[in-house]
């Protein structure tokens, strides 16, 4: 399974800039600590905030690691599962 992180930024003129970053392996760690696969420099993010895993290459599971949840398609949750073909918005 490979993950693709898609970051979307919007310019002042309203133009979307999309940057894709591929990750290999069956899991990705996200957090403020620099040892994470995705390092987020924000005090609102725990050092080890969440882990994304996929055992079968199709379903993706996201688990909050240190008590703070995350926004999954507009809902605040501690864990979620989604189909990789559909994708999801995580904040």
């Amino acid at each position: 399974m490979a993950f693709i992180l898609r970051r979307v930024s919007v310019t002042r003129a309203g133009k979307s800039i999309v940057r894709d970053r591929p990750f290999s392996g069956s899991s990705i760690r996200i957090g403020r600590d620099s040892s994470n696969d995705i390092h987020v420099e924000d005090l609102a993010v725990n050092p080890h905030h969440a882990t994304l895993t996929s055992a079968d290459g199709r379903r993706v599971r996201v688990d909050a690691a240190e008590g703070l949840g995350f926004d999954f398609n507009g809902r605040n949750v501690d864990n979620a599962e989604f189909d990789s073909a559909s994708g999801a918005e995580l904040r």
Side-chain angles (χ1 to χ4, degrees):
M1 171 83 192
F3 289 94
I4 298 174
L5 171 68
R6 177 164 290 150
R7 291 186 182 200
V8 180
S9 301
V10 180
T11 67
R12 287 184 185 165
K15 179 181 176 188
S16 293
I17 299 171
V18 179
R19 294 183 181 100
D20 289 344
R21 178 177 170 198
F23 290 90
S24 60
S26 61
S27 69
I28 296 175
R29 293 179 309 142
I30 301 169
R32 196 174 68 235
D33 191 271
S34 62
S35 67
N36 289 295
D37 301 308
I38 299 174
H39 176 218
V40 180
E41 295 180 15
D42 187 331
L43 293 176
V45 175
N46 282 325
H48 301 287
H49 198 87
T51 303
L52 284 80
T53 56
S54 180
D56 65 3
R58 179 91 179 165
R59 302 292 303 166
V60 176
R61 181 166 178 83
V62 186
D63 292 296
E66 294 182 351
L68 285 179
F70 53 91
D71 189 65
F72 172 75
N73 291 339
R75 297 182 338 247
N76 192 324
V77 297
D78 291 327
N79 57 57
E81 193 169 307
F82 62 93
D83 188 294
S84 62
S86 302
E89 182 176 339
L90 304 172
R91 292 179 177 225

